[in-house]
Amino acid sequence: MQPISGDISAKDIAKRQPAKLAAMEAHYHTENGAPLYIGGIVDNEKQEVNYKIAIPKALSFLAFGDFDAEVKGLNDFPENERPNVAIVHYAFQTMVGLGTMLLFAGVLFFITLSRKKEWFSKPYFWLLFSVMAPMGFIALEAGWIVTEVGRQPWIIHGIMKTKDAVTPVPGIVYSFYMYVLVYSTLTIAVTWLMNRQIKALNASKY
Ligand code: HEM
């Protein structure tokens, strides 16, 4: 479902936050029939993306449902109203890349379940799924980076900048320290409990 909901989000961004879409794709120059970049290293100085795979016209199609639609580039926005392109582009690539891998992992699982049950006894099968297990969380964090870094410098797009929304209330930092402490304690406690559980299960097996 993620690629479908992601596609809907991207189409919405194309209309309402075009600078974010341009940063996601590291798309600097406004053009019709814009290509979709997969991967690549962003060179913000030269306004280029090196070592990418470019799929012709695909960005125009994915964003507007028309292969020749115009996609605004970052250069159409004042320099102080552009998000950090490299962070947003890498986070977007990470999210979509992991989403695609998770999709294939899901398909592989159902193939195994329905017609290749012998794969269940292969250590590589379980290694693959052990590696894939935390990937959903990484994709999720990458998604939030796209959303939040991608909308900078605005906290309310076109109306209020993030720097103007910072609270002047003193002492806020202490509530931050408190949260760090609470969550660190929870992390340690949960790790200890899970470890104990695994050891107890192993012990009861033999
Ligand atoms: C596979 C293709 C995917 C596409 C095309 C996609 C697309 C997008 C887009 C365009 C956004 C920005 C939304 C905004 O700023 O308004 C976004 C945000 C997000 N994505 Fe993805 N995504 C994909 C996969 C995933 C996966 C696999 C996960 C997690 C398991 C994920 C989790 C998130 C989260 C948590 C956000 C931030 C929440 C939000 O803005 O609604 N995405 N995604």
Side-chain angles (χ1 to χ4, degrees), residues 2-3 6-7 9-10 13 20 24 92 95-96 99-100 102 136 139-140 143-144 146-147:
Q2 281 298 151
D7 182 56
S9 293
I13 290 172
K20 182 189 275 183
M24 276 156 51
F92 185 64
M95 173 178 64
V96 176
T100 310
L102 286 163
L140 192 142
W144 278 115
V146 173
T147 300

XYZ file of all heavy atoms in Angstrom, residues 2-3 6-7 9-10 13 20 24 92 95-96 99-100 102 136 139-140 143-144 146-147, ligand 1:
201
model
N 2.111 1.171 0.540
C 2.939 2.393 0.667
C 3.216 3.092 -0.661
O 3.069 4.308 -0.744
C 4.272 2.066 1.355
C 4.197 1.933 2.839
C 3.768 3.174 3.580
O 3.185 3.058 4.624
N 4.038 4.353 3.053
N 3.620 2.328 -1.716
C 3.852 3.024 -2.985
C 2.595 3.738 -3.482
O 2.690 4.821 -4.063
C 4.258 1.895 -3.941
C 4.822 0.835 -3.056
C 4.031 0.912 -1.790
N 2.120 6.767 -1.249
C 3.230 7.676 -1.548
C 2.991 8.427 -2.850
O 3.273 9.624 -2.950
N 2.447 7.716 -3.826
C 2.169 8.352 -5.122
C 1.113 9.449 -4.959
O 1.239 10.544 -5.523
C 1.692 7.269 -6.107
C 1.428 7.842 -7.484
O 2.354 8.444 -8.049
O 0.295 7.710 -7.993
N 0.542 11.154 -2.200
C 1.218 12.262 -1.494
C 2.045 13.097 -2.461
O 2.034 14.326 -2.413
C 2.191 11.746 -0.439
O 1.541 11.119 0.584
N 2.780 12.412 -3.346
C 3.674 13.128 -4.260
C 2.875 14.024 -5.215
O 3.281 15.156 -5.502
C 4.530 12.138 -5.046
N 1.876 17.055 -3.276
C 3.019 17.962 -3.078
C 3.301 18.755 -4.351
O 3.629 19.938 -4.298
C 4.270 17.154 -2.676
C 4.098 16.602 -1.274
C 5.524 18.019 -2.719
C 5.177 15.654 -0.885
N 9.315 21.422 -2.420
C 9.630 20.141 -1.773
C 9.795 19.041 -2.835
O 10.733 18.255 -2.779
C 8.518 19.762 -0.783
C 8.781 18.478 -0.041
C 7.581 18.007 0.755
C 7.512 18.640 2.113
N 6.374 18.117 2.916
N 13.039 16.793 -3.459
C 12.988 15.323 -3.408
C 13.703 14.720 -4.611
O 14.383 13.714 -4.531
C 11.523 14.850 -3.417
C 10.862 14.833 -2.061
S 9.049 14.960 -2.145
C 8.579 13.725 -3.304
N 14.470 10.777 0.480
C 13.411 10.294 -0.416
C 13.851 8.998 -1.114
O 13.087 8.035 -1.199
C 13.060 11.379 -1.440
C 11.888 11.007 -2.312
C 10.621 10.830 -1.767
C 12.041 10.812 -3.678
C 9.541 10.468 -2.563
C 10.975 10.446 -4.476
C 9.718 10.277 -3.921
N 13.699 6.154 1.393
C 12.324 5.695 1.655
C 11.784 4.868 0.486
O 11.289 3.744 0.679
C 11.421 6.906 1.905
C 9.951 6.566 2.013
S 8.983 8.022 2.373
C 9.261 9.002 0.917
N 11.899 5.400 -0.714
C 11.321 4.704 -1.872
C 12.083 3.404 -2.146
O 11.481 2.367 -2.445
C 11.304 5.630 -3.108
C 10.805 4.881 -4.336
C 10.420 6.834 -2.853
N 11.030 0.950 0.427
C 9.623 0.587 0.160
C 9.545 -0.443 -0.954
O 8.799 -1.422 -0.867
N 10.342 -0.243 -1.995
C 10.333 -1.179 -3.126
C 10.869 -2.547 -2.689
O 10.312 -3.597 -3.030
C 11.195 -0.606 -4.279
O 10.785 0.741 -4.511
C 11.046 -1.404 -5.548
N 10.818 -3.779 0.321
C 9.831 -4.410 1.210
C 8.691 -5.028 0.404
O 8.175 -6.101 0.746
C 9.283 -3.387 2.214
C 10.266 -3.010 3.330
C 9.840 -1.734 4.031
C 10.370 -4.143 4.344
N 11.488 -1.177 7.603
C 10.262 -0.370 7.650
C 10.445 0.850 8.547
O 9.974 1.954 8.234
N 12.647 3.372 6.743
C 11.855 4.044 5.709
C 10.939 5.087 6.344
O 10.769 6.202 5.828
C 11.029 3.020 4.932
N 10.387 4.728 7.488
C 9.466 5.634 8.180
C 10.187 6.925 8.632
O 9.698 8.033 8.418
C 8.937 4.863 9.386
C 7.771 5.370 10.165
C 6.938 4.171 10.575
C 8.228 6.081 11.385
N 10.920 8.999 5.695
C 9.693 9.674 5.256
C 9.476 10.971 6.022
O 9.153 12.010 5.446
N 9.680 10.909 7.339
C 9.497 12.132 8.136
C 10.550 13.183 7.797
O 10.277 14.385 7.828
C 9.495 11.815 9.634
C 8.135 11.325 10.067
C 7.828 10.089 10.542
C 6.901 12.051 10.020
N 6.484 9.999 10.783
C 5.898 11.184 10.478
C 6.560 13.332 9.617
C 4.562 11.574 10.557
C 5.222 13.723 9.691
C 4.250 12.848 10.166
N 11.833 13.602 4.829
C 11.348 14.209 3.579
C 10.295 15.268 3.896
O 10.350 16.403 3.422
C 10.743 13.145 2.630
C 10.094 13.808 1.425
C 11.787 12.147 2.188
N 9.329 14.895 4.726
C 8.229 15.815 5.021
C 8.711 17.075 5.737
O 8.356 18.183 5.339
C 7.181 15.104 5.911
O 6.703 13.989 5.185
C 6.017 16.004 6.244
C 7.586 2.995 -1.973
C 7.292 4.145 -2.369
C 7.027 5.363 -1.504
C 6.709 6.582 -2.000
C 6.538 6.958 -3.478
C 6.563 7.488 -0.874
C 6.254 8.841 -0.999
C 6.194 9.737 0.062
C 6.062 11.177 -0.061
C 5.901 11.922 -1.377
C 6.088 11.698 1.188
C 6.020 13.185 1.580
C 4.647 13.552 2.072
C 4.554 15.022 2.450
O 5.566 15.682 2.672
O 3.421 15.523 2.494
C 6.215 10.603 2.126
C 6.243 10.736 3.498
C 6.319 9.676 4.376
N 6.538 8.354 4.050
Fe 6.748 7.601 2.181
N 6.773 6.795 0.283
C 7.071 5.488 -0.039
C 7.373 4.462 0.855
C 7.317 4.570 2.240
C 7.555 3.473 3.196
C 7.900 2.052 2.795
C 7.364 3.993 4.447
C 7.454 3.323 5.799
C 7.403 2.054 6.032
C 7.034 5.407 4.298
C 6.765 6.267 5.342
C 6.556 7.617 5.221
C 6.342 8.503 6.360
C 6.273 8.114 7.837
C 6.205 9.801 5.838
C 5.975 11.092 6.625
C 4.532 11.227 7.000
C 3.754 12.113 6.089
O 4.259 13.109 5.587
O 2.574 11.789 5.859
N 7.011 5.712 2.960
N 6.290 9.412 1.399
